[in-house]
Amino acid sequence: MSSSMGEIIKRLRKERGMTQEQLAQLLNLSAQSISKWENNTSMPDISQIVPLATILKVKTDVLFGMESCNNDEEVERIIRSARSFLKRPLTREGFIRQYDALQKGLERYPNHTRLLMESLEAGIALSYPENFIYDAAHAKERYEECIRQANIVISYSTNTTDVLRAHMILVLLHAANGNAKQARLHAEKFPVRADMNLHLMQAYCAHWKQDYRMEAACYQYGFLYSFHAILNLLVHLFKTYTILERYPEAKEMLEFARRLIDQLLENETTLPPLHYLEGGDLNLLLAKACLRLGDREEALSHLERMTEYDLGHAAAFRGDAIAKSPLLCDVKWGTFFSIPSDRPQRLRAKLTDADLEPLRDHPRFQRLMDRVN
């Protein structure tokens, strides 16, 4: 059953965090007029439709209920088109164009969760101060728009993963903008136990169906996701130690992560990119840590390992291969990992990182660049 214009106006107003009085003031009307619209006892004058749509950030067709809010095929096209602006190497301009394209899509489909989540990811990329594409000039307005969009997802989405990701984005942005109280409120929405996840629940279901092979596979996938989460935690701890100028401990965090990966993959013939982490390539981070401690030769060894993987092992990676370790023997690598097709370009960008400047004139580094080029 389609919604009336009054119901649409009321929903859009609330989703934008506006009171009837605030909307009325922007339209130079009385709050009573807005109340009558929302109660379907009167309709906006035709001259008020465009200003109303502009304030609510939608197309006029949305107010008339003529645009479906669940046109999934069209939404996917909008998302693909927006993502096309993200070309390698990634730039701030590309993310801005992606973000703007998604906002245009949200004018047509203001409550579509897929669009909202894509917009949130682009929004935090541009408005989180520690991101390399941080757009300081527009960070505040994007921060405020992220708050609005995340609250819509939290209020209406039935997908727990989307809801938790929206809470996480709000934790990051509120904390970065000095709003500690709001950051804490959203942080408290997360469970304390990290194993309360999809794979554990699926394992319980498989157990009571007596599908024990499936149960084992679910636990293995759960282990792999948890393992990856541990590696990312170690990288975050490394970055915190670096800020504190505790460089030996920072390096130890990465070396420990590297030992964990090597031990897990000890008997594997096809090597997945476990070292590609949220904080960057583990080998590159290790090289930077070594440079902080004045060890150029060890830094170069890590860069050589990075180059060998990106140009050698990655090319031989088989996504359909089954892991050999009993921890993962029912896991197909391809269901968890994918290898980017633009590896040489990414490798070149990593090797031209400004932090590697002290190595530019070293013969070993020049050989690496020659190999990449």
Side-chain angles (χ1 to χ4, degrees), residues 302-336:
H302 292 302
L303 295 180
E304 287 166 350
R305 182 169 184 166
M306 178 178 76
T307 302
E308 181 57 37
Y309 185 88
D310 284 5
L311 296 183
H313 293 296
F317 176 75
R318 287 183 50 231
D320 61 343
I322 301 291
K324 293 184 178 180
S325 166
L327 287 166
L328 301 168
C329 59
D330 292 316
V331 171
K332 278 189 179 179
W333 289 130
T335 58
F336 189 87

PDB file of all heavy atoms in Angstrom, residues 302-336:
ATOM      1  N   HIS A 302      62.092  -6.348   4.096  1.00  0.00           N
ATOM      2  CA  HIS A 302      60.627  -6.397   4.136  1.00  0.00           C
ATOM      3  C   HIS A 302      60.029  -5.895   2.821  1.00  0.00           C
ATOM      4  O   HIS A 302      59.016  -6.438   2.342  1.00  0.00           O
ATOM      5  CB  HIS A 302      60.106  -5.582   5.315  1.00  0.00           C
ATOM      6  CG  HIS A 302      60.422  -6.172   6.650  1.00  0.00           C
ATOM      7  ND1 HIS A 302      60.014  -7.441   7.012  1.00  0.00           N
ATOM      8  CD2 HIS A 302      61.130  -5.675   7.702  1.00  0.00           C
ATOM      9  CE1 HIS A 302      60.437  -7.700   8.249  1.00  0.00           C
ATOM     10  NE2 HIS A 302      61.112  -6.647   8.679  1.00  0.00           N
ATOM     11  N   LEU A 303      60.635  -4.893   2.227  1.00  0.00           N
ATOM     12  CA  LEU A 303      60.144  -4.402   0.941  1.00  0.00           C
ATOM     13  C   LEU A 303      60.354  -5.436  -0.163  1.00  0.00           C
ATOM     14  O   LEU A 303      59.512  -5.576  -1.058  1.00  0.00           O
ATOM     15  CB  LEU A 303      60.846  -3.092   0.575  1.00  0.00           C
ATOM     16  CG  LEU A 303      60.559  -1.896   1.487  1.00  0.00           C
ATOM     17  CD1 LEU A 303      61.325  -0.667   1.009  1.00  0.00           C
ATOM     18  CD2 LEU A 303      59.059  -1.594   1.563  1.00  0.00           C
ATOM     19  N   GLU A 304      61.463  -6.161  -0.091  1.00  0.00           N
ATOM     20  CA  GLU A 304      61.706  -7.239  -1.067  1.00  0.00           C
ATOM     21  C   GLU A 304      60.668  -8.347  -0.910  1.00  0.00           C
ATOM     22  O   GLU A 304      60.178  -8.901  -1.904  1.00  0.00           O
ATOM     23  CB  GLU A 304      63.118  -7.780  -0.883  1.00  0.00           C
ATOM     24  CG  GLU A 304      64.188  -6.816  -1.390  1.00  0.00           C
ATOM     25  CD  GLU A 304      65.583  -7.156  -0.920  1.00  0.00           C
ATOM     26  OE1 GLU A 304      65.718  -8.038  -0.036  1.00  0.00           O
ATOM     27  OE2 GLU A 304      66.543  -6.552  -1.424  1.00  0.00           O
ATOM     28  N   ARG A 305      60.310  -8.645   0.338  1.00  0.00           N
ATOM     29  CA  ARG A 305      59.269  -9.649   0.580  1.00  0.00           C
ATOM     30  C   ARG A 305      57.930  -9.164   0.029  1.00  0.00           C
ATOM     31  O   ARG A 305      57.171  -9.935  -0.577  1.00  0.00           O
ATOM     32  CB  ARG A 305      59.164  -9.929   2.074  1.00  0.00           C
ATOM     33  CG  ARG A 305      58.135 -10.990   2.433  1.00  0.00           C
ATOM     34  CD  ARG A 305      58.271 -11.400   3.883  1.00  0.00           C
ATOM     35  NE  ARG A 305      57.343 -12.481   4.190  1.00  0.00           N
ATOM     36  CZ  ARG A 305      57.404 -13.228   5.289  1.00  0.00           C
ATOM     37  NH1 ARG A 305      58.357 -13.023   6.171  1.00  0.00           N
ATOM     38  NH2 ARG A 305      56.512 -14.173   5.497  1.00  0.00           N
ATOM     39  N   MET A 306      57.627  -7.896   0.232  1.00  0.00           N
ATOM     40  CA  MET A 306      56.385  -7.324  -0.295  1.00  0.00           C
ATOM     41  C   MET A 306      56.345  -7.423  -1.817  1.00  0.00           C
ATOM     42  O   MET A 306      55.333  -7.828  -2.404  1.00  0.00           O
ATOM     43  CB  MET A 306      56.290  -5.861   0.143  1.00  0.00           C
ATOM     44  CG  MET A 306      55.068  -5.119  -0.373  1.00  0.00           C
ATOM     45  SD  MET A 306      55.005  -3.412   0.245  1.00  0.00           S
ATOM     46  CE  MET A 306      56.252  -2.641  -0.794  1.00  0.00           C
ATOM     47  N   THR A 307      57.456  -7.067  -2.454  1.00  0.00           N
ATOM     48  CA  THR A 307      57.527  -7.106  -3.913  1.00  0.00           C
ATOM     49  C   THR A 307      57.408  -8.520  -4.434  1.00  0.00           C
ATOM     50  O   THR A 307      56.711  -8.771  -5.432  1.00  0.00           O
ATOM     51  CB  THR A 307      58.851  -6.472  -4.383  1.00  0.00           C
ATOM     52  OG1 THR A 307      58.924  -5.131  -3.885  1.00  0.00           O
ATOM     53  CG2 THR A 307      58.944  -6.457  -5.900  1.00  0.00           C
ATOM     54  N   GLU A 308      58.047  -9.450  -3.762  1.00  0.00           N
ATOM     55  CA  GLU A 308      58.001 -10.852  -4.182  1.00  0.00           C
ATOM     56  C   GLU A 308      56.572 -11.387  -4.138  1.00  0.00           C
ATOM     57  O   GLU A 308      56.127 -12.104  -5.029  1.00  0.00           O
ATOM     58  CB  GLU A 308      58.912 -11.702  -3.293  1.00  0.00           C
ATOM     59  CG  GLU A 308      58.939 -13.177  -3.663  1.00  0.00           C
ATOM     60  CD  GLU A 308      59.369 -13.413  -5.106  1.00  0.00           C
ATOM     61  OE1 GLU A 308      60.249 -12.681  -5.597  1.00  0.00           O
ATOM     62  OE2 GLU A 308      58.801 -14.317  -5.749  1.00  0.00           O
ATOM     63  N   TYR A 309      55.841 -10.989  -3.093  1.00  0.00           N
ATOM     64  CA  TYR A 309      54.448 -11.452  -3.019  1.00  0.00           C
ATOM     65  C   TYR A 309      53.603 -10.821  -4.117  1.00  0.00           C
ATOM     66  O   TYR A 309      52.890 -11.510  -4.846  1.00  0.00           O
ATOM     67  CB  TYR A 309      53.816 -11.141  -1.655  1.00  0.00           C
ATOM     68  CG  TYR A 309      52.429 -11.747  -1.563  1.00  0.00           C
ATOM     69  CD1 TYR A 309      52.257 -13.051  -1.108  1.00  0.00           C
ATOM     70  CD2 TYR A 309      51.296 -11.056  -2.010  1.00  0.00           C
ATOM     71  CE1 TYR A 309      51.008 -13.646  -1.089  1.00  0.00           C
ATOM     72  CE2 TYR A 309      50.050 -11.640  -1.995  1.00  0.00           C
ATOM     73  CZ  TYR A 309      49.911 -12.937  -1.532  1.00  0.00           C
ATOM     74  OH  TYR A 309      48.679 -13.530  -1.541  1.00  0.00           O
ATOM     75  N   ASP A 310      53.676  -9.505  -4.235  1.00  0.00           N
ATOM     76  CA  ASP A 310      52.786  -8.804  -5.173  1.00  0.00           C
ATOM     77  C   ASP A 310      53.041  -9.193  -6.625  1.00  0.00           C
ATOM     78  O   ASP A 310      52.112  -9.196  -7.445  1.00  0.00           O
ATOM     79  CB  ASP A 310      52.937  -7.292  -5.001  1.00  0.00           C
ATOM     80  CG  ASP A 310      52.227  -6.780  -3.763  1.00  0.00           C
ATOM     81  OD1 ASP A 310      51.703  -7.609  -3.010  1.00  0.00           O
ATOM     82  OD2 ASP A 310      52.203  -5.560  -3.546  1.00  0.00           O
ATOM     83  N   LEU A 311      54.284  -9.492  -6.959  1.00  0.00           N
ATOM     84  CA  LEU A 311      54.589  -9.836  -8.350  1.00  0.00           C
ATOM     85  C   LEU A 311      54.718 -11.334  -8.581  1.00  0.00           C
ATOM     86  O   LEU A 311      54.700 -11.770  -9.733  1.00  0.00           O
ATOM     87  CB  LEU A 311      55.894  -9.145  -8.785  1.00  0.00           C
ATOM     88  CG  LEU A 311      55.867  -7.619  -8.800  1.00  0.00           C
ATOM     89  CD1 LEU A 311      57.196  -7.080  -9.322  1.00  0.00           C
ATOM     90  CD2 LEU A 311      54.719  -7.092  -9.646  1.00  0.00           C
ATOM     91  N   GLY A 312      54.839 -12.097  -7.499  1.00  0.00           N
ATOM     92  CA  GLY A 312      55.033 -13.538  -7.649  1.00  0.00           C
ATOM     93  C   GLY A 312      53.898 -14.360  -7.078  1.00  0.00           C
ATOM     94  O   GLY A 312      53.057 -14.896  -7.796  1.00  0.00           O
ATOM     95  N   HIS A 313      53.834 -14.437  -5.745  1.00  0.00           N
ATOM     96  CA  HIS A 313      52.838 -15.291  -5.092  1.00  0.00           C
ATOM     97  C   HIS A 313      51.406 -14.879  -5.420  1.00  0.00           C
ATOM     98  O   HIS A 313      50.533 -15.738  -5.595  1.00  0.00           O
ATOM     99  CB  HIS A 313      53.053 -15.285  -3.584  1.00  0.00           C
ATOM    100  CG  HIS A 313      54.322 -15.923  -3.152  1.00  0.00           C
ATOM    101  ND1 HIS A 313      54.601 -17.255  -3.335  1.00  0.00           N
ATOM    102  CD2 HIS A 313      55.426 -15.390  -2.560  1.00  0.00           C
ATOM    103  CE1 HIS A 313      55.800 -17.531  -2.859  1.00  0.00           C
ATOM    104  NE2 HIS A 313      56.332 -16.424  -2.392  1.00  0.00           N
ATOM    105  N   ALA A 314      51.153 -13.576  -5.478  1.00  0.00           N
ATOM    106  CA  ALA A 314      49.791 -13.111  -5.758  1.00  0.00           C
ATOM    107  C   ALA A 314      49.335 -13.571  -7.139  1.00  0.00           C
ATOM    108  O   ALA A 314      48.176 -13.939  -7.335  1.00  0.00           O
ATOM    109  CB  ALA A 314      49.714 -11.592  -5.652  1.00  0.00           C
ATOM    110  N   ALA A 315      50.267 -13.550  -8.099  1.00  0.00           N
ATOM    111  CA  ALA A 315      49.919 -13.984  -9.461  1.00  0.00           C
ATOM    112  C   ALA A 315      49.586 -15.468  -9.504  1.00  0.00           C
ATOM    113  O   ALA A 315      48.812 -15.916 -10.352  1.00  0.00           O
ATOM    114  CB  ALA A 315      51.074 -13.666 -10.411  1.00  0.00           C
ATOM    115  N   ALA A 316      50.174 -16.227  -8.566  1.00  0.00           N
ATOM    116  CA  ALA A 316      49.944 -17.680  -8.544  1.00  0.00           C
ATOM    117  C   ALA A 316      48.821 -18.079  -7.591  1.00  0.00           C
ATOM    118  O   ALA A 316      48.522 -19.264  -7.444  1.00  0.00           O
ATOM    119  CB  ALA A 316      51.240 -18.391  -8.139  1.00  0.00           C
ATOM    120  N   PHE A 317      48.215 -17.095  -6.958  1.00  0.00           N
ATOM    121  CA  PHE A 317      47.171 -17.384  -5.970  1.00  0.00           C
ATOM    122  C   PHE A 317      45.989 -18.090  -6.614  1.00  0.00           C
ATOM    123  O   PHE A 317      45.490 -17.675  -7.656  1.00  0.00           O
ATOM    124  CB  PHE A 317      46.700 -16.079  -5.328  1.00  0.00           C
ATOM    125  CG  PHE A 317      45.553 -16.258  -4.365  1.00  0.00           C
ATOM    126  CD1 PHE A 317      45.757 -16.799  -3.112  1.00  0.00           C
ATOM    127  CD2 PHE A 317      44.270 -15.882  -4.711  1.00  0.00           C
ATOM    128  CE1 PHE A 317      44.717 -16.961  -2.217  1.00  0.00           C
ATOM    129  CE2 PHE A 317      43.211 -16.037  -3.829  1.00  0.00           C
ATOM    130  CZ  PHE A 317      43.437 -16.576  -2.578  1.00  0.00           C
ATOM    131  N   ARG A 318      45.534 -19.170  -5.978  1.00  0.00           N
ATOM    132  CA  ARG A 318      44.380 -19.924  -6.471  1.00  0.00           C
ATOM    133  C   ARG A 318      43.248 -19.802  -5.456  1.00  0.00           C
ATOM    134  O   ARG A 318      43.315 -20.350  -4.362  1.00  0.00           O
ATOM    135  CB  ARG A 318      44.749 -21.391  -6.676  1.00  0.00           C
ATOM    136  CG  ARG A 318      45.642 -21.630  -7.893  1.00  0.00           C
ATOM    137  CD  ARG A 318      45.923 -23.119  -8.092  1.00  0.00           C
ATOM    138  NE  ARG A 318      44.689 -23.882  -8.070  1.00  0.00           N
ATOM    139  CZ  ARG A 318      44.510 -24.971  -7.304  1.00  0.00           C
ATOM    140  NH1 ARG A 318      45.469 -25.392  -6.500  1.00  0.00           N
ATOM    141  NH2 ARG A 318      43.369 -25.623  -7.340  1.00  0.00           N
ATOM    142  N   GLY A 319      42.213 -19.081  -5.860  1.00  0.00           N
ATOM    143  CA  GLY A 319      41.098 -18.877  -4.948  1.00  0.00           C
ATOM    144  C   GLY A 319      40.296 -20.129  -4.670  1.00  0.00           C
ATOM    145  O   GLY A 319      39.586 -20.210  -3.679  1.00  0.00           O
ATOM    146  N   ASP A 320      40.414 -21.149  -5.562  1.00  0.00           N
ATOM    147  CA  ASP A 320      39.650 -22.378  -5.345  1.00  0.00           C
ATOM    148  C   ASP A 320      40.425 -23.400  -4.520  1.00  0.00           C
ATOM    149  O   ASP A 320      39.956 -24.509  -4.292  1.00  0.00           O
ATOM    150  CB  ASP A 320      39.250 -22.997  -6.687  1.00  0.00           C
ATOM    151  CG  ASP A 320      40.459 -23.373  -7.532  1.00  0.00           C
ATOM    152  OD1 ASP A 320      41.570 -22.884  -7.242  1.00  0.00           O
ATOM    153  OD2 ASP A 320      40.295 -24.158  -8.483  1.00  0.00           O
ATOM    154  N   ALA A 321      41.652 -23.037  -4.081  1.00  0.00           N
ATOM    155  CA  ALA A 321      42.472 -23.968  -3.308  1.00  0.00           C
ATOM    156  C   ALA A 321      41.905 -24.127  -1.896  1.00  0.00           C
ATOM    157  O   ALA A 321      41.392 -23.182  -1.301  1.00  0.00           O
ATOM    158  CB  ALA A 321      43.905 -23.466  -3.243  1.00  0.00           C
ATOM    159  N   ILE A 322      42.025 -25.352  -1.377  1.00  0.00           N
ATOM    160  CA  ILE A 322      41.594 -25.652  -0.016  1.00  0.00           C
ATOM    161  C   ILE A 322      42.807 -25.574   0.896  1.00  0.00           C
ATOM    162  O   ILE A 322      43.877 -26.104   0.586  1.00  0.00           O
ATOM    163  CB  ILE A 322      40.968 -27.057   0.080  1.00  0.00           C
ATOM    164  CG1 ILE A 322      39.769 -27.171  -0.864  1.00  0.00           C
ATOM    165  CG2 ILE A 322      40.554 -27.371   1.511  1.00  0.00           C
ATOM    166  CD1 ILE A 322      38.590 -26.340  -0.465  1.00  0.00           C
ATOM    167  N   ALA A 323      42.652 -24.909   2.036  1.00  0.00           N
ATOM    168  CA  ALA A 323      43.759 -24.796   2.984  1.00  0.00           C
ATOM    169  C   ALA A 323      44.136 -26.173   3.524  1.00  0.00           C
ATOM    170  O   ALA A 323      43.295 -27.069   3.630  1.00  0.00           O
ATOM    171  CB  ALA A 323      43.363 -23.873   4.126  1.00  0.00           C
ATOM    172  N   LYS A 324      45.415 -26.338   3.876  1.00  0.00           N
ATOM    173  CA  LYS A 324      45.905 -27.625   4.371  1.00  0.00           C
ATOM    174  C   LYS A 324      45.852 -27.738   5.884  1.00  0.00           C
ATOM    175  O   LYS A 324      45.749 -28.832   6.427  1.00  0.00           O
ATOM    176  CB  LYS A 324      47.349 -27.835   3.883  1.00  0.00           C
ATOM    177  CG  LYS A 324      47.451 -27.999   2.372  1.00  0.00           C
ATOM    178  CD  LYS A 324      48.869 -28.305   1.946  1.00  0.00           C
ATOM    179  CE  LYS A 324      48.935 -28.519   0.428  1.00  0.00           C
ATOM    180  NZ  LYS A 324      50.318 -28.821  -0.022  1.00  0.00           N
ATOM    181  N   SER A 325      45.931 -26.619   6.570  1.00  0.00           N
ATOM    182  CA  SER A 325      45.924 -26.657   8.026  1.00  0.00           C
ATOM    183  C   SER A 325      44.604 -27.202   8.549  1.00  0.00           C
ATOM    184  O   SER A 325      43.531 -26.883   8.019  1.00  0.00           O
ATOM    185  CB  SER A 325      46.135 -25.243   8.570  1.00  0.00           C
ATOM    186  OG  SER A 325      45.818 -25.178   9.944  1.00  0.00           O
ATOM    187  N   PRO A 326      44.647 -28.056   9.597  1.00  0.00           N
ATOM    188  CA  PRO A 326      43.389 -28.548  10.189  1.00  0.00           C
ATOM    189  C   PRO A 326      42.531 -27.418  10.761  1.00  0.00           C
ATOM    190  O   PRO A 326      41.338 -27.583  10.986  1.00  0.00           O
ATOM    191  CB  PRO A 326      43.857 -29.504  11.293  1.00  0.00           C
ATOM    192  CG  PRO A 326      45.283 -29.144  11.552  1.00  0.00           C
ATOM    193  CD  PRO A 326      45.835 -28.629  10.265  1.00  0.00           C
ATOM    194  N   LEU A 327      43.160 -26.253  10.985  1.00  0.00           N
ATOM    195  CA  LEU A 327      42.378 -25.096  11.438  1.00  0.00           C
ATOM    196  C   LEU A 327      41.474 -24.567  10.342  1.00  0.00           C
ATOM    197  O   LEU A 327      40.474 -23.897  10.618  1.00  0.00           O
ATOM    198  CB  LEU A 327      43.325 -23.975  11.885  1.00  0.00           C
ATOM    199  CG  LEU A 327      44.064 -24.181  13.201  1.00  0.00           C
ATOM    200  CD1 LEU A 327      45.189 -23.170  13.337  1.00  0.00           C
ATOM    201  CD2 LEU A 327      43.097 -24.054  14.369  1.00  0.00           C
ATOM    202  N   LEU A 328      41.825 -24.857   9.076  1.00  0.00           N
ATOM    203  CA  LEU A 328      41.129 -24.235   7.943  1.00  0.00           C
ATOM    204  C   LEU A 328      40.877 -25.205   6.799  1.00  0.00           C
ATOM    205  O   LEU A 328      40.617 -24.783   5.676  1.00  0.00           O
ATOM    206  CB  LEU A 328      41.966 -23.053   7.404  1.00  0.00           C
ATOM    207  CG  LEU A 328      42.271 -21.931   8.386  1.00  0.00           C
ATOM    208  CD1 LEU A 328      43.329 -20.993   7.807  1.00  0.00           C
ATOM    209  CD2 LEU A 328      41.014 -21.153   8.728  1.00  0.00           C
ATOM    210  N   CYS A 329      40.917 -26.497   7.045  1.00  0.00           N
ATOM    211  CA  CYS A 329      40.930 -27.487   5.953  1.00  0.00           C
ATOM    212  C   CYS A 329      39.623 -27.570   5.170  1.00  0.00           C
ATOM    213  O   CYS A 329      39.556 -28.240   4.138  1.00  0.00           O
ATOM    214  CB  CYS A 329      41.333 -28.859   6.471  1.00  0.00           C
ATOM    215  SG  CYS A 329      40.244 -29.483   7.769  1.00  0.00           S
ATOM    216  N   ASP A 330      38.562 -26.914   5.642  1.00  0.00           N
ATOM    217  CA  ASP A 330      37.308 -26.877   4.880  1.00  0.00           C
ATOM    218  C   ASP A 330      37.062 -25.494   4.273  1.00  0.00           C
ATOM    219  O   ASP A 330      35.973 -25.208   3.774  1.00  0.00           O
ATOM    220  CB  ASP A 330      36.120 -27.242   5.771  1.00  0.00           C
ATOM    221  CG  ASP A 330      36.163 -28.708   6.200  1.00  0.00           C
ATOM    222  OD1 ASP A 330      36.456 -29.556   5.332  1.00  0.00           O
ATOM    223  OD2 ASP A 330      35.937 -28.987   7.392  1.00  0.00           O
ATOM    224  N   VAL A 331      38.097 -24.644   4.316  1.00  0.00           N
ATOM    225  CA  VAL A 331      37.961 -23.266   3.837  1.00  0.00           C
ATOM    226  C   VAL A 331      38.549 -23.143   2.441  1.00  0.00           C
ATOM    227  O   VAL A 331      39.686 -23.531   2.206  1.00  0.00           O
ATOM    228  CB  VAL A 331      38.673 -22.290   4.793  1.00  0.00           C
ATOM    229  CG1 VAL A 331      38.732 -20.892   4.184  1.00  0.00           C
ATOM    230  CG2 VAL A 331      37.966 -22.247   6.140  1.00  0.00           C
ATOM    231  N   LYS A 332      37.770 -22.606   1.519  1.00  0.00           N
ATOM    232  CA  LYS A 332      38.306 -22.231   0.215  1.00  0.00           C
ATOM    233  C   LYS A 332      38.808 -20.797   0.316  1.00  0.00           C
ATOM    234  O   LYS A 332      38.064 -19.904   0.717  1.00  0.00           O
ATOM    235  CB  LYS A 332      37.220 -22.326  -0.874  1.00  0.00           C
ATOM    236  CG  LYS A 332      37.000 -23.719  -1.419  1.00  0.00           C
ATOM    237  CD  LYS A 332      36.080 -23.675  -2.629  1.00  0.00           C
ATOM    238  CE  LYS A 332      35.864 -25.069  -3.203  1.00  0.00           C
ATOM    239  NZ  LYS A 332      34.952 -25.038  -4.372  1.00  0.00           N
ATOM    240  N   TRP A 333      40.066 -20.600  -0.064  1.00  0.00           N
ATOM    241  CA  TRP A 333      40.637 -19.260   0.081  1.00  0.00           C
ATOM    242  C   TRP A 333      39.795 -18.202  -0.628  1.00  0.00           C
ATOM    243  O   TRP A 333      39.644 -17.083  -0.133  1.00  0.00           O
ATOM    244  CB  TRP A 333      42.057 -19.229  -0.474  1.00  0.00           C
ATOM    245  CG  TRP A 333      43.102 -19.953   0.317  1.00  0.00           C
ATOM    246  CD1 TRP A 333      44.000 -20.864  -0.147  1.00  0.00           C
ATOM    247  CD2 TRP A 333      43.380 -19.833   1.728  1.00  0.00           C
ATOM    248  NE1 TRP A 333      44.827 -21.312   0.860  1.00  0.00           N
ATOM    249  CE2 TRP A 333      44.460 -20.690   2.029  1.00  0.00           C
ATOM    250  CE3 TRP A 333      42.824 -19.084   2.759  1.00  0.00           C
ATOM    251  CZ2 TRP A 333      44.996 -20.807   3.309  1.00  0.00           C
ATOM    252  CZ3 TRP A 333      43.340 -19.207   4.034  1.00  0.00           C
ATOM    253  CH2 TRP A 333      44.415 -20.057   4.297  1.00  0.00           C
ATOM    254  N   GLY A 334      39.257 -18.551  -1.780  1.00  0.00           N
ATOM    255  CA  GLY A 334      38.558 -17.563  -2.590  1.00  0.00           C
ATOM    256  C   GLY A 334      37.296 -17.012  -1.962  1.00  0.00           C
ATOM    257  O   GLY A 334      36.819 -15.945  -2.350  1.00  0.00           O
ATOM    258  N   THR A 335      36.720 -17.720  -0.979  1.00  0.00           N
ATOM    259  CA  THR A 335      35.510 -17.217  -0.323  1.00  0.00           C
ATOM    260  C   THR A 335      35.836 -16.154   0.723  1.00  0.00           C
ATOM    261  O   THR A 335      34.942 -15.501   1.240  1.00  0.00           O
ATOM    262  CB  THR A 335      34.728 -18.361   0.343  1.00  0.00           C
ATOM    263  OG1 THR A 335      35.585 -19.012   1.298  1.00  0.00           O
ATOM    264  CG2 THR A 335      34.266 -19.372  -0.676  1.00  0.00           C
ATOM    265  N   PHE A 336      37.120 -15.992   1.043  1.00  0.00           N
ATOM    266  CA  PHE A 336      37.520 -14.990   2.035  1.00  0.00           C
ATOM    267  C   PHE A 336      38.422 -13.920   1.438  1.00  0.00           C
ATOM    268  O   PHE A 336      38.321 -12.748   1.792  1.00  0.00           O
ATOM    269  CB  PHE A 336      38.250 -15.666   3.196  1.00  0.00           C
ATOM    270  CG  PHE A 336      38.508 -14.753   4.367  1.00  0.00           C
ATOM    271  CD1 PHE A 336      37.551 -14.590   5.358  1.00  0.00           C
ATOM    272  CD2 PHE A 336      39.698 -14.057   4.490  1.00  0.00           C
ATOM    273  CE1 PHE A 336      37.776 -13.745   6.437  1.00  0.00           C
ATOM    274  CE2 PHE A 336      39.946 -13.215   5.570  1.00  0.00           C
ATOM    275  CZ  PHE A 336      38.974 -13.060   6.553  1.00  0.00           C
TER     276      PHE A 336
END
